[in-house]
Each structure stands twice: as C-alpha cells, then as structure tokens.
Amino acid sequence: MASLVEKEAGMSPLLEINDCTVAFGGLKAVSELNLSIHQGELMGLIGPNGAGKTTAFNLITGVYRPTDGEIRFDGRSIVGRRPYQITARGIARTFQNIRLFASLSVFDNVRAACNMHLRHGISHALWRGDAFAQEEKAVEDRVMELLEIFHLDHLCNAPSTGLPYGDQRRLEIVRALATRPKLLLLDEPAAGMNPTEKQELVRLIRFTQEKFKLAVLLVEHDMRVVMGICERIAVLDYGMKIAEGTPEEIRNNRKVIEAYLGE
Amino acid sequence: MNRPKTWLLVFVALIWAASWFQGAINPYYFDILITIGINIVLGVSLNLVNGYTGQFSLGHAGFMAVGAYVSAAMTIFLCPRWLAACGGGSTAESALFLGALVAGGFGAALAGLAVGVPSLRLKGDYLAIVTLGFGEIIRVMVQNTEAVGGSRGLSIPARETGLFTTYLAAALAVYVVVSLVHSTYGRGFLMVRDDEVAAEAMGINTTKYKVMAFVVGAFFAGIAGGLYAHFKQFIHPEGFGFLRSVDIVVIVILGGMGNTPGVILAAILLTILPEGLRALAALEALPVWLRGMIQNRMILYSLLLIGLMLTRPQGLFSGGGKWLRWWKRRQA
Ligand SMILES: Nc1ncnc2c1ncn2[C@@H]1O[C@H](COP(=O)(O)OP(=O)(O)OP(=O)(O)O)[C@@H](O)[C@H]1O
Ligand SMILES: [Mg+2]
C-alpha cells in the first residue's frame, strides 16, 4: 500500500496534530491529542459517545481553535486559519448532524461546493459571456460525474432535504469531494443506513479513496465498517487517545475493551 | 446563457420607447408609476441581503438617505458649474443627473461597506439592531448638517427623475440580483443563508459574501434614494427613518424571502394598496373609526403581516409552485 511505502521512506505525514487540546470551560473535549495521517491513508477514529471525535474534526477544520498545540497540513501550520481557508488547503468534511443546504437541490448542493475553484468571479457572473458559460458547463459536468459515482444523478433536481437519510449522507460525501480535497473527514457516514447501504458505502469509500488519491479519516460507530476499511485506527476516550494500531491490535487492546464495556 | 442580457436590452428599449409618452400620463398615475419603480429597486436590492443571504437588515432607508443626499448635493452644488463649463444642453444635463445617481449609489455602497465589515459578525436580531442604529445615525447626521438643509429639508430645483431612469434602475437591480444568484459564484449567498458552518466548510468566505450582499444592496438603495430625491424635489431626514426601512422589509417579506418576482409584485401591490385604501377611506358610508384605521398604514401592515405569517409564512407569492415549475421546465 502506498501509505506504508511512504512511511517506510520517511515521508512527512499529510496531517500532523501535535499535543492539541480543546477545552470548553473546564471540560477538555480533546486532550493533548497526537495524530498523524499520511497521504492516501484510510484511518479510523473511534470511541464511545462524547469521546471527542466530532470535536477533533472541528479542531482540524478550524471551527474550534486549540487552546494548546499545533496542527500542520501539507507541511504548513493551519492553526488560526478560518474554516474556508482550511478547506482551500485541501481538507473537506461531512457532518454528523447532516448539514445540507436546505433550499438547494441535490445538484446545486454539489455545485455550490465547486464555488471555491472558480477562476472567474462576480464580473463574469454579471456579464455572462462565453468564459462564464464555459466554466459553468465545466462545473455542471463535474457535478454530474461525481453524482453518478454515488448513484445520485437521477435525483439531481430533487430538493436535498427530502431525500432518505442514507442518500443525504452520501450527498454530503459528494459535496465534500467537490471541493477537491486531499484529506476527507467523514463523521459517522453510515449512521442511519441499512446493512446493504452500509456495504455499498464501504465500497464507495474505497473506490473514491483510490480514484481521487485521498487520505480519509473516518469516525464511525459501526465496527464492521471501521474494521473493514481502515488500515489504522485511533481510539479516543474522554478526549484522550488511549490506543492506536491496526484493526487487529485495536480489537484485542485491553484499554479499548474497557472503554467500550465500562470498568 | 446570454438570454438574461437580451431580456435586459429588450426591456430597456421598451421603457425608452414608453418614456417618450410619459408627458401624456395623468400626473397622479405618473406619481404612482414612479413610486412603484423606486420601490422595486428598494425591495429587490434588500431581498439580496434579507432574502437570499439571510441577514436581517433594518437600515435600507439609511442607505437610501445617503444616496438621496449625495446625488442631490451633486445636482445642486456641482452640476450647475459643470454645466456652465461645458456649455449646457439637455443631453449634458441628463448625463450629469445619471452621474449624480451613480455617485449616490457609490456613496451608499461605501456606507454599506463601513457598516457591513464590523457588524456582519452579528446574527439575526443583533444585526437588525445595529443596522437600525446606523439608519438613525445617518438621519441625525443629516439633521445637523446645515449645508444640506439640516432639519429644514432640502429642495431640489429640477425634476430629473423620469420613467426611463426609474425603470432602468429597476431593470438593472433585477438583472444584477438575478444574475448573481443564478451562477455558481452567486450560490454562495444562498449557502450563507442556509448554513454558515457548512458554507465555510465548502470553502466559502461567508464574511466576504455577506459584505458583498450588503454593498450591492446599499448601492441600489442609494440609486433609489437619488431617484426619489429628484422626483419629489424635496427631501427631509425624517423621510428616511425607521418606518421607511420597515416599509421595504414588508415588501420583501410579503413577496417572499429570496423570491425576486414575488418581491416585484409585492412592491407594486404595496404601492397601489394605500391609494386604493385612500379611496375606500373617503367613503361616507363607513364608520369613522374604520376609515381612520384604513388610512393608517402601520395598522394595516401589522394586520397584513400577522395574517401572512399565519397563512403563508413563505410569502404571498412564494411557492405558487405550479407556475414556477412550468417556467423551470421551459427553461430546461
Ligand atoms: N460546543 C461545545 N460546547 C461545550 N461542550 C461541547 C461542545 N461540543 C462538544 N462538547 C462536549 O465535548 C464532548 C465531546 O463531544 P463530541 O461531540 O466531540 O463527542 P463525539 O465523540 O463526537 O460523540 P458522538 O459519538 O456522540 O458523536 C462532549 O462531552 C460534549 O458534550
Ligand atoms: Mg460526534
């Protein structure tokens, strides 16, 4: 696997979180977290409810600022950058509590996420010349291509929030992919899906990860999904990382079992 | 893709042709016609801020005041000198009037930038209060500036605003707002309205979009102010108070947030309505209390809004659905 080769060759990781803490008042939702993800790697992040997984995502994407610590992406620090700037650097995400653009159609939700890569701005949108038309066409083609991969193309004119839960989650992934990320953060993408949908999701995550040469950080409660696709898994409990390793190592780790079963 | 531009040109040609006959229109109807045009500019531009971008601004009358006073100051103090310098003529006068309108627009846009940048971090009610405060500050500032008449108001010698300029401004406002919103670039406004967190996560600089909506909205409010000043030929700081802002907000809410055709219809309806009610209030047959109530616009608006919120919270003309879908299918 590419990621293993890279690690052996001593390449620096794509994302590097060093001793990061996020505190809400007295509560340390994430505590002195260390995590690194390499180019093209599929990594899992698990932990019981309230462990701090979503907070870790919000930390990486700039929604929260660490009270302490450093985050580097692609060799540059991203601490203190605004979320849209971090997305521009190449980190995209989905949301645990689905956050689609409610007034936009399925198609427009994805198209909206292409905004960032537009070469033309307000003057073209007003003048509506040839350059504008060409770029809009290119965006449309790209949106349809992405929707087809996720089998959502036939729904492109439907209102996004009217879709079944599973489709909404997949649409969130498509939308995130439209920003052309290097690292994709998925927050419980399989939640609310039935077993067939979950299987399909696993296939799609693998497929897109290879096709777009992505690194993926996956938060998921369904152990079969996590164990099935992740090369490496980190475990959080009460904001602290209590274990990291291959699925096999995690399955047999005492601390992990304790965290999940309680003392 | 060029169709919107064609529509714009056709419409401009039509109003240009129509404006040749404006002398034949009964002054009362002419007044209503111009007021409708100005209200369309105001409603459509505020709709970009309150409707499409989901910010609650209550300061549109303030921007209108800036445009009115800047353009009036230009036509009163600067233009006569320039006119004398270039030898006069009605073409030069019209050109200078247009220049004054645009200057008023830019003045208002600048004010929009000045208010927008620091205050757009605020949301909902807080933003409403800040923009409201801004409107009041403008009003008080004008009131204390003797050079533009202060609290006595300002008279404008020539009635420059006509059918053509008014509806040109309305057409441009509609064109700009609709073109923006119907482009990948302009979808950013809707993203900000729907979900700011998700918009940022998709690479949208939400602050930039909010400020942009504010500045474009203020620009057209300024133009509307200039048109108003050169139509009524008298402006007074009290005329641009809080209630004026509310009038415009009512147009947007009634038309449906983020629904430009609806807002145009609402602007027409709410301009005609008081006129119709005035006629109704003159009926001897009605009891006096009812006649009094009918004439009070604010009572009427309150009742209208309560009724609307109960029955059609999406706006009077929103989601008529059938026509819209028919139109969309034709476009596709
Ligand atoms: N904005 C906030 N303000 C205060 N406390 C917060 C905030 N966000 C999260 N927390 C707290 O931080 C802790 C971690 O929450 P987080 O949402 O990261 O957990 P999680 O691992 O994603 O859980 P789940 O599996 O249920 O999604 C929780 O105790 C939560 O109540
Ligand atoms: Mg979570």
Side-chain angles (χ1 to χ4, degrees):
Chain A
M1 252 167 278
S3 56
L4 289 180
V5 177
E6 264 168 29
K7 259 180 277 179
E8 276 155 22
M11 280 186 68
S12 66
L14 181 63
L15 178 79
E16 208 176 353
I17 303 176
N18 288 327
D19 289 324
C20 275
T21 300
V22 179
F24 299 113
L27 174 83
K28 285 187 177 174
V30 167
S31 182
E32 293 169 16
L33 180 67
N34 285 291
L35 201 69
S36 47
I37 301 169
H38 288 79
Q39 212 106 42
E41 186 176 30
L42 242 164
M43 183 161 186
L45 182 64
I46 62 171
N49 284 327
K53 306 177 297 286
T54 300
T55 307
F57 273 21
N58 285 333
L59 169 74
I60 298 170
T61 53
V63 176
Y64 299 145
R65 224 193 141 122
T67 32
D68 221 347
E70 169 71 7
I71 309 173
R72 299 179 76 77
F73 182 73
D74 235 357
R76 286 191 292 171
S77 170
I78 55 171
V79 173
R81 302 284 107 201
R82 289 208 13 219
Y84 79 91
Q85 294 170 321
I86 292 175
T87 307
R89 296 269 181 95
I91 302 181
R93 71 176 294 185
T94 66
F95 293 91
Q96 180 177 0
N97 50 337
I98 299 171
R99 280 178 177 267
L100 291 169
F101 300 114
S103 73
L104 302 185
S105 66
V106 168
F107 181 89
D108 271 350
N109 261 276
V110 185
R111 182 165 84 149
C114 296
N115 185 301
M116 200 178 80
H117 290 288
L118 290 175
R119 277 176 296 119
H120 303 308
I122 189 167
S123 55
H124 280 74
L126 289 179
W127 182 249
R128 305 202 152 231
D130 291 338
F132 169 78
Q134 275 162 22
E135 189 165 32
E136 293 286 290
K137 180 82 179 60
V139 166
E140 277 170 32
D141 292 346
R142 188 174 149 63
V143 171
M144 281 321 280
E145 185 192 336
L146 285 171
L147 284 173
E148 273 165 27
I149 295 177
F150 282 77
H151 315 303
L152 290 166
D153 46 320
H154 62 287
L155 293 169
C156 69
N157 287 322
S160 57
T161 43
L163 299 184
Y165 222 56
D167 288 348
Q168 291 196 24
R169 291 221 176 268
R170 278 186 295 147
L171 180 56
E172 274 227 342
I173 301 179
V174 179
R175 192 179 64 169
L177 286 174
T179 66
R180 298 190 193 155
K182 294 178 191 141
L183 170 64
L184 179 62
L185 311 179
L186 300 174
D187 202 346
E188 303 197 17
M193 286 187 175
N194 63 37
T196 349
E197 284 179 315
K198 279 182 188 171
Q199 263 182 357
E200 175 64 8
L201 180 75
V202 166
R203 197 188 66 74
L204 284 170
I205 292 177
R206 278 214 191 96
F207 177 79
T208 44
Q209 188 244 350
E210 268 166 33
K211 182 173 162 77
F212 299 106
K213 314 223 168 355
L214 290 173
V216 177
L217 181 61
L218 173 73
V219 165
E220 184 50 63
H221 280 298
D222 188 307
M223 283 307 141
R224 263 200 294 186
V225 173
V226 181
M227 299 286 172
I229 50 178
C230 294
E231 301 155 18
R232 217 150 48 88
I233 297 173
V235 188
L236 286 185
D237 192 25
Y238 292 113
M240 280 183 287
K241 188 166 83 176
I242 55 170
E244 187 179 327
T246 62
E248 202 52 40
E249 288 163 0
I250 294 302
R251 225 191 305 254
N252 302 317
N253 186 305
R254 274 231 68 78
K255 277 192 189 160
V256 176
I257 296 168
E258 267 170 26
Y260 270 91
L261 298 179
E263 311 304 315
Chain B
M1 269 302 155
N2 256 322
R3 231 185 297 163
K5 239 173 3 194
T6 318
W7 276 106
L8 179 68
L9 287 178
V10 168
F11 185 79
V12 170
L14 277 178
I15 50 172
W16 186 73
S19 69
W20 285 98
F21 303 101
Q22 72 180 22
I25 305 172
N26 166 330
Y28 174 67
Y29 292 120
F30 186 66
D31 193 307
I32 295 179
L33 216 54
I34 297 289
T35 311
I36 286 178
I38 292 174
N39 281 341
I40 290 177
V41 178
L42 289 168
V44 167
S45 58
L46 184 66
N47 192 28
L48 180 64
V49 182
N50 288 26
Y52 289 112
T53 319
Q55 308 301 303
F56 198 86
S57 167
L58 264 177
H60 224 48
F63 298 125
M64 194 184 169
V66 174
Y69 275 94
V70 168
S71 62
M74 279 201 57
T75 47
I76 293 172
F77 302 119
L78 287 178
C79 293
R81 263 184 254 160
W82 290 347
L83 219 54
C86 72
S90 71
T91 322
E93 203 180 323
S94 304
L96 282 177
F97 170 56
L98 285 182
L101 278 185
V102 174
F106 277 116
L110 215 60
L113 193 67
V115 190
V117 171
S119 62
L120 284 171
R121 278 165 226 273
L122 304 171
K123 294 196 168 98
D125 308 349
Y126 297 103
L127 180 64
I129 291 166
V130 169
T131 50
L132 187 109
F134 155 77
E136 290 303 292
I137 289 171
I138 291 288
R139 195 174 57 80
V140 172
M141 268 170 62
V142 173
Q143 224 154 29
N144 291 297
T145 309
E146 279 307 311
V148 290
S151 54
R152 279 171 292 115
L154 182 64
S155 291
I156 292 112
R159 192 182 211 188
E160 308 264 11
T161 301
L163 213 54
F164 181 68
T165 34
T166 306
Y167 281 87
L168 178 68
L172 281 176
V174 172
Y175 176 81
V176 165
V177 170
V178 172
S179 302
L180 274 183
V181 172
H182 287 271
S183 68
T184 302
Y185 182 80
R187 285 294 145 122
F189 294 112
L190 306 187
M191 293 163 80
V192 170
R193 172 184 72 185
D194 282 1
D195 192 327
E196 277 190 42
V197 174
E200 285 262 336
M202 296 305 126
I204 294 287
N205 183 349
T206 51
T207 313
K208 186 181 100 180
Y209 271 88
K210 285 193 241 174
V211 170
M212 197 156 50
F214 236 66
V215 169
V216 174
F219 176 81
F220 281 107
I223 299 267
L227 289 168
Y228 177 83
H230 292 86
F231 183 66
K232 296 288 178 190
Q233 290 178 272
F234 178 73
I235 48 179
H236 189 275
E238 294 298 331
F240 303 103
F242 165 63
L243 289 181
R244 190 71 233 241
S245 287
V246 172
D247 280 355
I248 311 169
V249 170
V250 170
I251 291 179
V252 173
I253 294 177
L254 201 69
M257 302 276 215
N259 171 4
T260 300
V263 168
I264 295 172
L265 282 176
I268 297 172
L269 187 74
L270 283 182
T271 315
I272 298 176
L273 197 65
E275 302 303 323
L277 289 173
R278 212 195 309 272
L280 198 65
L283 284 182
E284 299 277 329
L286 295 176
V288 176
W289 63 268
L290 190 61
R291 287 166 58 181
M293 209 175 93
I294 286 174
Q295 269 190 320
N296 191 326
R297 190 162 93 256
M298 282 303 146
I299 296 182
L300 184 83
Y301 280 6
S302 315
L303 291 177
L304 202 62
L305 281 181
I306 293 170
L308 193 75
M309 287 303 124
L310 288 177
T311 53
R312 292 188 65 81
Q314 73 278 37
L316 208 51
F317 307 108
S318 263
K322 209 166 63 180
W323 287 104
L324 209 69
R325 256 174 277 140
W326 172 80
W327 176 247
K328 287 236 170 82
R329 228 177 306 136
R330 283 210 28 195
Q331 297 292 88

